[in-house]
Amino acid sequence: MTPPRQFVIEADGGSRGNPGPAGYGAVVIDPVTGETLAEAAGYIGVATNNVAEYKGLIAGLRAAKALVPDASADGGPRVHVRMDSKLVVEQMSGRWKIKHPDMKPLAAEAARILPASAVSYEWIPRERNKHADRLANEAMDAGKRGEQWEPSSSTAALDTPKSSVAAALPPVSGPPGDAAAGAARARAALNRPAAGTPQVGWGAVPDLGAPATFLLLRHGETALTPEKRFSGSGGTDPELSATGRRQAECAAEAFAARGTVQEIVSSPLLRCRETAGAVAARLGLEVRIEDGLRETDFGAWEGLTFGEVRERHRADLDAWLASAKAAPTGGGESFAEVARRVAAARDRLITRHAGRTVLVVTHVTPIKTLVRLALGAPPESLFRMELSAASLSTVAYYADGNASVRLLNDTSHLR
C-alpha cells in the first residue's frame, strides 16, 4: 500500500486596519525536497486579521487536498500546518475554545477539508512565515488596484528557494528551544518512523511540544521613572502616572488584538498590578500574583538617582557595579539573590503553565534576569540591556529545559 503523501502548509492573513482591506496567502511545501508545490492567495475585502488568517488556512488545506484528488480519506494527504497566528493554531489544535461568532464557521470549514487525524499544527515566529506573508500582501495590493492576485506575478517564492529543504524547513543549528530546531521538530512529526525503528537523522529530534511562552511586560511609568530614580521593593510603592496608565491601556489594546494571552501573572507591587489589571480587564482574565517577580530591594538607594547614590555611597556603588554578589547600602538585595528568587519563580510558572502563553508583568531587574538566564549570559550583561517603561520582551521555555529569547524591549505597541 502506498503511504499517504505528506505536505507542509504555511499560511497567513493580514488586514490593513483590523478590520480593513484584508487578504490571505498559503503555500504547500514538500517536506523532503523543500519544493513549493502550490500557492494560493486572495483579497477578501474588509475583514479582521483573524478572519484573514483562517482564510489562509482554508486555502492551504484545499490546495494540499487538490494535489491528491483521487485519494480516499484514509489515503489522503498528511499535513503539518505552520502559522504565526497563535489564535488559529491553538483553536484548530483544540486547546482553545472558539468563542467569536466570526471564527466558528471558518474553523468548521477548515476542519471539514481533511480528517482531523491527518492534520497537525505548529506556531512559528513571523520571520519564519515570510512566503505566506508576502502572498497575503500581494493579494491585498492587487485588491487595492481592483485586480485579482495572479500566481504568475508573484515574487513570494523568492523568500523560499525551491531547491533546498533547508530553506523551507531549516535544519537544527542550535539547541532544541530555538526556532531552527522547532522547524526540525515539524519535519520529524511528518517523517516519524514506525514503532521499534531506530531513530536517526530528523527522527532523532525530540518532539518537545509547545513551550511555555512568557510575554514579559515591564510596568508603565510612575512619577519616579522619568527621573531615573531607584525604585525597587524596599521603599515606597508608587502608583502609575497618567503616562503609565496610558501605556497600560496601549498594551491592553495590543494584547487584545493578538488574542494569544491565556494567563496573566504579576509582581505584587502596585505599579505592576495596575498595569496587569488594565490588560486583564480588556481580556476578561484574572491576575495571579507571584511574589518572586518583585523588583530588587535597593535598600538605602530607594528614591535616589544614580548620581545621588554615587555622591553618598560611592564605595558601595562601585562594589555593586563590580560584583553580582554585592548588595546596595542598607541591607538591599544583591543581583545574585534576585537571580535565585526570580529563577525559582520562573520554574514555578513553567511547571504551572507548560505549553501556554503567559503575560508576566514585572520590573526591569526580573525581566533582565530572565533574559540573561535564558541566554546563559554573565551577570554583567544586566548593565547592557535597555528596558523602556511598558516594553515587551519574550522568552519561550521548552520541556527539555532549553529557552529561546524571541523579543527584547519592544515598544511598538506604544506608538
Side-chain angles (χ1 to χ4, degrees):
M1 181 177 176
T2 303
R5 289 195 65 183
Q6 299 172 342
F7 303 112
V8 168
I9 293 173
E10 294 177 353
D12 198 10
S15 170
R16 294 169 180 173
N18 198 31
Y24 64 82
V27 56
V28 183
I29 300 169
D30 186 316
V32 177
T33 66
E35 179 185 4
T36 295
L37 302 176
E39 291 178 327
Y43 176 70
I44 58 174
V46 176
T48 65
N49 281 328
N50 291 337
V51 168
E53 287 160 347
Y54 262 110
K55 290 286 189 179
L57 169 64
I58 290 167
L61 291 170
R62 286 177 173 165
K65 185 176 181 180
L67 293 171
V68 282
D70 298 329
S72 65
D74 291 338
R78 297 295 185 263
V79 170
H80 187 74
V81 177
R82 293 154 43 95
M83 299 180 68
D84 59 53
S85 170
K86 188 76 169 177
L87 177 81
V88 175
V89 168
E90 294 297 323
Q91 288 183 345
M92 292 303 298
S93 298
R95 291 186 289 269
W96 289 7
K97 291 183 179 180
I98 305 173
K99 299 180 180 179
H100 198 286
D102 291 347
M103 301 302 111
K104 290 181 178 180
L106 293 170
E109 183 179 355
R112 287 192 296 266
I113 297 171
L114 291 170
S117 60
V119 186
S120 59
Y121 291 87
E122 178 191 11
W123 178 88
I124 57 173
R126 183 177 297 276
E127 59 267 20
R128 294 289 184 187
N129 205 25
K130 290 183 178 180
H131 193 148
D133 176 72
R134 186 180 289 186
L135 287 171
N137 277 285
E138 287 179 355
M140 285 185 277
D141 291 341
K144 186 177 180 179
R145 298 190 300 268
E147 302 172 356
Q148 292 293 320
W149 176 83
E150 294 290 343
S152 60
S153 62
S154 175
T155 59
L158 297 176
D159 285 327
T160 311
K162 297 180 180 180
S163 61
S164 171
V165 174
L169 295 171
V172 177
S173 61
D178 74 344
R185 285 194 301 278
R187 191 191 317 246
L190 288 169
N191 295 281
R192 190 171 289 116
T197 303
Q199 291 196 0
V200 295
W202 295 118
V205 178
D207 186 356
L208 300 174
T213 302
F214 290 3
L215 307 178
L216 305 170
L217 180 65
R218 185 189 170 194
H219 61 80
E221 278 192 13
T222 71
L224 300 180
T225 307
E227 299 178 5
K228 298 186 181 299
R229 295 183 179 276
F230 282 93
S231 180
S233 58
T236 59
D237 191 4
E239 64 182 2
L240 293 179
S241 64
T243 297
R245 289 191 291 273
R246 286 194 298 271
Q247 291 170 335
E249 291 299 332
C250 287
E253 183 177 353
F255 288 120
R258 291 186 185 193
T260 58
V261 175
Q262 296 169 282
E263 306 281 350
I264 302 177
V265 179
S266 173
S267 155
L269 299 182
L270 179 60
R271 51 198 183 272
C272 286
R273 288 188 283 112
E274 288 181 328
T275 304
V279 181
R282 187 69 178 270
L283 301 185
L285 296 174
E286 294 183 1
V287 177
R288 299 183 183 276
I289 300 300
E290 170 55 64
D291 186 66
L293 296 174
R294 68 185 185 276
E295 181 58 288
T296 307
D297 182 345
F298 290 112
W301 302 353
E302 293 278 353
L304 302 180
T305 65
F306 190 88
E308 289 169 341
V309 171
R310 182 172 292 282
E311 289 177 3
R312 303 178 193 183
H313 309 285
R314 177 180 291 271
D316 289 347
L317 179 62
D318 289 343
W320 182 73
L321 293 172
S323 172
K325 296 180 180 180
T329 310
E333 284 182 291
S334 70
F335 282 147
E337 292 171 321
V338 173
R340 287 191 290 271
R341 165 164 61 80
V342 169
R346 173 203 62 193
D347 293 344
R348 288 192 295 270
L349 293 176
I350 290 172
T351 300
R352 191 179 305 149
H353 303 293
R356 297 176 72 77
T357 298
V358 184
L359 176 63
V360 178
V361 185
T362 181
H363 310 263
V364 168
T365 309
I367 293 174
K368 287 184 176 182
T369 298
L370 289 167
V371 171
R372 178 183 79 76
L373 294 174
L375 294 173
E380 55 266 29
S381 63
L382 294 175
F383 297 110
R384 299 173 185 171
M385 299 182 218
E386 175 70 22
L387 284 180
S388 303
S391 64
L392 179 65
S393 303
T394 305
V395 182
Y397 298 92
Y398 287 84
D400 64 348
N402 280 296
S404 174
V405 176
R406 298 180 174 178
L407 191 66
L408 182 68
N409 196 37
D410 178 29
T411 59
S412 59
H413 54 283
L414 302 179
R415 301 188 190 115

